Amino acid sequence: MKKGDIYEYLQENNLKYFEDESNNSNDYSRNYIRNEVIPSFKHIHPEYQKNISQLLNYFEVLKEYIDSEVLEFL
């Protein structure tokens, strides 16, 4: 989900947007990743999101296979 989608949802549902002030500081790992690491990915490889999505789909298929093998073994 993109930030624009969130803004649109809020507007459609008459909800107020609230941003935690801590989001502006890179003191927390999550913020550093969002503010520094992810933009670097975009610079290095603009289609990184598609590749990550494909990787996550692969992991899901792999997990399902492993789960079925474990069940069969048990």
Side-chain angles (χ1 to χ4, degrees), residues 29-61:
S29 297
R30 68 178 188 275
N31 295 344
Y32 181 78
I33 291 168
R34 182 177 57 248
N35 296 328
E36 303 294 332
V37 175
I38 291 176
S40 294
F41 282 160
K42 287 180 185 176
H43 177 73
I44 294 167
H45 186 18
E47 293 191 16
Y48 79 96
Q49 288 176 313
K50 179 180 141 191
N51 291 5
I52 291 173
S53 178
Q54 290 172 341
L55 180 62
L56 292 174
N57 287 335
Y58 170 75
F59 284 150
E60 183 61 31
V61 169

